[in-house]
Amino acid sequence: MNEEELVEYFRAQMRKDPDMASAVAAIRTLLEFLKRDKGETILGLRESLTGATDCLTGVDSSVAVSSGGELFLRFISLTSLEHQVSGLPGTRPFLLHSWTRSSSREILGVKLVTFVNSVRQDLSRCKKVMEERGELFLEKISMSRAKVAKLCHTFIKDGAKILTHSYSRVVLRVLEKAAAEKKRFSVYVTESQPDSAGRQMADALRKLNVPVTVVLDAAVGYVLEKVDLVIVGAEGVVESGGIINKIGTYQMAVCSKAHNKPFYVVAESFKFVRLYPLNQQDVPDKFKYKADTLKTVKNLSEEHPMIDYTPPSLITLLFTDLGVLTPSAVSDELIKLYL
Amino acid sequence: MPGPDKETDLTERIEAFLSDLKRGGSGTGPLRGSAETARETTALLRRITAQARWSSAGDLMEIIRKEGRRITAAQPSETTVGNMIRRVLKIVREEYARSRGSSEETDQQESLHKLLTSGGLSEENFRQHFATLKANVIEAINELLTELEGTTDNIAMQALEHIHSNEVIMTIGRSRTVEAFLKDAARKRKFHVIVAECAPFCQGHEMATSLSKAGIETTVIADAAIFAVMSRVNKVIIGTQTVLANGGLRAVNGTHTLALAAKHHSTPLIVCAPMFKLSPQFPNEEDTFHKFVSPHEVLPFTEGEILSKVNVHCPVFDYVPPELITLFISNIGGHAPSYIYRLMSELYHPEDHEL
């Protein structure tokens, strides 16, 4: 599967289901890549997967795609570790023995071929297991939004006024569930320039018959005294328990801290990423700007960043498919996975 | 016949416990302390395990859950009952896993790692029958009971590390744990205690009497004077009714005021809470969070004229957010509020959070 096919498959996935998270589409693409891969070794597989992930981040530079790719790579390592690809037991020492004993190339050639065949069989068995587990993994994470919605909607009380930022499909799902549970609430959405994604969110909410008001990004401080709670999504959840999200989220978090309003984050667990930014500058440039901008523009300091980092001290709770977590619990989860 | 007798005996005991709970839950007045409730609940669960009819772990858990729902519905604010039920459910799960010989114990929680490596969507259904399961579960529950017996002493043993000579300690209302804590320190150190009376039940008075009998210099103040006196206080040590999953507290009313005053003066706030008070609830359920009792304590019914013109409320509990708390002292040691999530995952299984 070459680069163009990869990109085309990814774009097709995103078009087919606009509701799917970009990380899920990335993982699906990588799984397809795995199925079509003709490599002979695990190391080669890993290298080609890393190349594929880089290619995908070239299309969609969000943190989520990068975290999805890393997760998939980790998945491959864990699965291949379980099914050690080492060939038939005793083959290698036998090979060495025969090399020293026999000088006949024919016998050696035959032995080499049997060794390679056995490795190939092991590899194909391992790949089969990977494909099965990969499908299972995809199935599980496609249910994660429903799990998050189930956990979060109990925190929305009757008569609540909610503030949210930009367009987040997870937040939309949570509000859908709350509306389905017959709760009455109203929503303020920020316009979220430069792409006015907030208006998209407002339209979606109007379809649910939820009273919604679009406010300017600059009006967040003004509107916070009326609001009961703030719920935002996240593009990535970093190791410290902070989040990376659309620009304007940090501002909202600081204001809600000043007003003592709870600031809730809803995110699926595949968005956990191994970054530890200490301030806004620490977030790598490759996430801050859109992929096209990174390729075409020479001087990035004149571009507006698309995301910002919100430190964990401003976040009250994180709702994930692994449960309701305090920011300190996030690093525990990441450690369990990666170490 | 021993069969039906045992069953009726069991149902009788459960009913007696239920009615006791319903009656005894009036504010923080002359009722049983949380420790006794926890002990009685665990003893009742042991009786259920021994006497009820069940053939597999799944059946036992179903029975416990059913009874648990009834008992918690009788007195929703008494969270120790629910906590003990969840502990016993976790014990059943662990014993089942041990009987099966699987090392699934450590992997019971949802985690990213588990998502990636699990081979199937198979749900553990606890249907296998093991002959030794009953005995193992009862033994584990006995261990739990022994742990419960020793909680107050374990907490009091840590007193000397935290209380130093000539310190001024403030507390509010009456907590048996804090009382034992202070009395234990008083054996070797000399310090002063200021007790806020905690209106309208004024349990602080009883606390002060008890402490002064132990030879501790005690002062009683009105709740309104908390802020005024706080500048002279070195530490604030309080008890609580429940510790919530985010590290916050549900404590007797007036505690939030005390916590805010302590934060303002940068005085450390120490909470003495045994592990059975840790509950997987979050402070979002408004209907079950608060408990209101008779407003007679606030405004007696004899004040006839005014009663028709005003609304009188007497809430029992207060929410204290985790940012105001410095340290939790429990029977297993001291913890920061941000660590509570870890203790929660060790004590309860996530599927039992909702009974």
Side-chain angles (χ1 to χ4, degrees):
Chain A
M1 204 177 182
N2 61 9
E3 272 200 28
E4 286 143 25
E5 285 179 2
L6 200 67
V7 172
E8 194 39 56
Y9 192 88
F10 180 63
R11 289 228 172 88
Q13 288 292 319
M14 297 290 280
R15 263 191 308 246
K16 198 166 56 161
D17 191 359
D19 232 6
M20 190 180 352
S22 44
V24 179
I27 294 177
R28 212 179 275 270
T29 316
L30 289 172
L31 193 62
E32 187 61 35
F33 182 86
L34 172 72
K35 283 186 188 149
R36 298 196 205 171
D37 179 63
K38 303 267 185 307
E40 303 280 321
T41 62
I42 294 289
L43 202 58
L45 181 63
R46 280 181 62 98
E47 277 178 18
S48 42
L49 273 173
T50 321
T53 316
D54 287 336
C55 176
L56 285 177
T57 41
V59 173
D60 180 354
S61 70
S62 64
V63 185
V65 169
S66 159
S67 81
E70 241 195 85
L71 205 62
F72 194 75
L73 218 55
R74 183 70 187 160
F75 161 68
I76 298 288
S77 324
L78 285 173
T79 321
S80 65
L81 269 175
E82 270 184 55
H83 298 254
Q84 280 290 343
V85 182
S86 59
L88 290 171
T91 310
R92 241 182 264 138
F94 181 59
L95 200 63
L96 267 168
H97 178 79
S98 9
W99 175 257
T100 50
R101 276 296 199 79
S102 147
S103 53
S104 165
R105 269 195 209 158
E106 242 179 53
I107 307 175
L108 201 58
V110 164
K111 289 198 180 84
L112 262 174
V113 167
T114 42
F115 178 63
V116 168
N117 271 336
S118 63
V119 169
R120 201 179 284 149
Q121 277 173 13
D122 272 341
L123 182 59
S124 57
R125 221 183 330 137
C126 184
K127 272 179 79 171
K128 232 176 147 324
V129 173
M130 280 187 205
E131 285 165 29
E132 277 169 21
R133 289 236 186 119
E135 290 293 335
L136 207 61
F137 178 51
L138 272 174
E139 228 181 281
K140 276 195 210 169
I141 57 180
S142 53
M143 297 193 289
S144 45
R145 260 189 215 159
K147 282 193 204 165
V148 175
K150 197 169 113 176
L151 281 172
C152 188
H153 79 269
T154 47
F155 281 69
I156 300 176
K157 307 190 181 79
D158 237 357
K161 294 199 188 59
I162 304 174
L163 174 63
T164 184
H165 185 59
S166 188
Y167 178 62
S168 165
R169 288 167 289 213
V170 195
V171 178
L172 194 56
R173 194 66 177 272
V174 169
L175 296 176
E176 261 178 35
K177 182 106 182 137
E181 301 280 323
K182 306 269 182 286
K183 298 231 172 103
R184 278 164 299 182
F185 54 92
S186 58
V187 183
Y188 293 91
V189 193
T190 50
E191 214 182 16
S192 177
Q193 298 292 3
D195 55 358
S196 286
R199 297 200 178 271
Q200 210 183 340
M201 183 76 163
D203 291 334
L205 283 169
R206 270 189 211 108
K207 287 206 189 82
L208 298 170
N209 282 329
V210 174
V212 54
T213 317
V214 179
V215 299
L216 293 171
D217 296 341
V220 166
Y222 174 77
V223 98
L224 257 166
E225 58 185 32
K226 295 188 245 186
V227 155
D228 295 316
L229 67 152
V230 183
I231 305 183
V232 299
E235 289 195 29
V237 180
V238 296
E239 256 181 89
S240 57
I243 57 165
I244 293 186
N245 198 26
K246 186 82 186 292
I247 190 107
T249 313
Y250 178 48
Q251 219 155 276
M252 201 182 273
V254 174
C255 286
S256 28
K257 187 81 181 186
H259 284 265
N260 250 325
K261 307 283 178 184
F263 187 82
Y264 297 129
V265 173
V266 286
E268 305 99 308
S269 62
F270 53 78
K271 289 182 177 163
F272 285 17
V273 64
R274 285 186 80 186
L275 268 179
Y276 206 116
L278 295 172
N279 54 18
Q280 304 297 334
Q281 301 301 324
D282 275 350
V283 181
D285 275 345
K286 63 178 181 181
F287 297 135
K288 277 190 189 163
Y289 308 98
K290 283 205 152 81
D292 312 324
T293 323
L294 284 167
K295 278 187 240 172
T296 51
V297 171
K298 296 287 171 236
N299 189 1
L300 280 174
S301 62
E302 292 184 11
E303 289 297 316
H304 298 290
M306 294 296 287
I307 57 165
D308 61 21
Y309 163 66
T310 306
S313 50
L314 302 172
I315 301 174
T316 318
L317 284 174
L318 282 130
F319 296 90
T320 68
D321 52 329
L322 305 171
V324 184
L325 306 173
T326 46
S328 35
V330 171
S331 56
D332 234 11
E333 286 299 325
L334 279 168
I335 290 174
K336 272 192 245 171
L337 173 63
Y338 283 106
L339 294 170
Chain B
M1 274 181 64
D5 274 345
K6 264 206 239 166
E7 291 218 353
T8 45
D9 179 48
L10 184 60
T11 19
E12 264 172 36
R13 279 183 194 269
I14 299 179
E15 293 302 324
F17 185 62
L18 273 173
S19 52
D20 224 2
L21 263 183
K22 275 192 211 159
R23 243 185 295 125
S26 62
T28 43
L31 44 56
R32 71 248 315 270
S34 320
E36 283 120 67
T37 318
R39 235 172 283 141
E40 283 189 31
T41 316
T42 319
L44 187 65
L45 288 170
R46 181 179 56 185
R47 198 173 280 274
I48 293 178
T49 315
Q51 294 181 346
R53 225 171 285 173
W54 51 276
S55 60
S56 69
D59 291 339
L60 178 60
M61 294 205 306
E62 216 18 75
I63 295 175
I64 294 181
R65 256 192 223 121
K66 200 174 70 140
E67 295 302 331
R69 276 190 287 255
R70 276 182 63 208
I71 302 178
T72 40
Q75 187 70 256
S77 67
E78 192 62 57
T79 43
T80 42
V81 176
N83 298 345
M84 286 296 103
I85 291 170
R86 291 182 185 102
R87 289 289 290 269
V88 172
L89 282 171
K90 178 130 206 241
I91 286 176
V92 176
R93 278 175 207 268
E94 274 175 14
E95 291 300 327
Y96 182 78
R98 205 171 297 156
S99 301
R100 278 182 91 216
S102 56
S103 60
E104 273 180 47
E105 282 182 44
T106 45
D107 221 3
Q108 295 233 358
Q109 308 289 335
E110 278 288 335
S111 73
L112 269 180
H113 184 97
K114 194 168 161 219
L115 265 182
L116 287 186
T117 54
S118 61
L121 269 176
S122 57
E123 297 280 317
E124 182 66 69
N125 63 355
F126 297 99
R127 287 286 142 212
Q128 250 180 305
H129 173 75
F130 290 108
T132 52
L133 189 62
K134 190 178 225 173
N136 288 345
V137 170
I138 294 186
E139 202 186 305
I141 297 183
N142 283 334
E143 276 173 29
L144 180 59
L145 272 169
T146 340
E147 187 195 312
L148 286 177
E149 310 266 321
T151 42
T152 322
D153 290 329
N154 283 336
I155 293 180
M157 275 195 310
Q158 302 173 50
L160 283 174
E161 292 167 12
H162 298 280
I163 301 181
H164 309 290
S165 282
N166 282 327
E167 274 198 332
V168 180
I169 311 231
M170 184 180 272
T171 184
I172 187 169
R174 178 164 195 216
S175 162
R176 270 153 266 249
T177 320
V178 176
E179 211 182 299
F181 193 78
L182 293 173
K183 281 182 181 167
D184 196 274
R187 288 188 291 128
K188 293 230 179 106
R189 307 267 156 90
K190 251 201 148 348
F191 53 91
H192 309 259
V193 176
I194 302 180
V195 183
E197 67 176 359
C198 186
F201 304 106
C202 293
Q203 294 255 294
H205 300 170
E206 283 169 36
M207 176 81 153
T209 330
S210 161
L211 286 176
S212 56
K213 279 207 187 99
I216 305 176
E217 230 178 279
T218 325
T219 315
V220 177
I221 57 164
D223 296 342
I226 288 176
F227 193 87
V229 179
M230 186 57 78
S231 48
R232 308 274 240 98
V233 174
N234 297 112
K235 286 193 175 82
V236 180
I237 303 184
I238 56 174
T240 175
Q241 200 255 5
T242 311
V243 178
L244 300 164
N246 63 345
L249 302 179
R250 184 159 82 197
V252 79
N253 63 348
T255 315
H256 197 170
T257 319
L258 183 61
L260 283 171
K263 187 80 178 188
H264 185 272
H265 289 92
S266 297
T267 313
L269 177 70
I270 299 176
V271 180
C272 292
M275 275 290 105
F276 62 79
K277 286 193 177 167
L278 192 59
S279 161
Q281 285 174 344
F282 281 92
N284 59 327
E285 284 127 58
E286 254 177 9
D287 25 346
T288 46
F289 189 85
H290 282 294
K291 194 168 97 161
F292 291 88
V293 293
S294 160
H296 171 76
E297 311 280 348
V298 177
L299 193 61
F301 290 126
T302 48
E303 313 257 349
E305 272 192 44
I306 196 177
L307 280 181
S308 53
K309 300 184 184 117
V310 298
N311 276 326
V312 189
H313 294 293
C314 186
V316 182
F317 299 123
D318 233 350
Y319 170 63
V320 182
E323 300 87 58
L324 302 175
I325 303 167
T326 319
L327 185 69
F328 278 101
I329 296 181
S330 72
N331 46 313
I332 50 181
H335 311 286
S338 57
Y339 195 64
I340 293 289
Y341 77 91
R342 196 61 182 275
L343 296 171
M344 194 81 63
S345 64
E346 281 170 30
L347 291 177
Y348 312 122
H349 192 272
E351 279 174 33
D352 297 332
H353 286 342
E354 294 274 331
L355 274 181

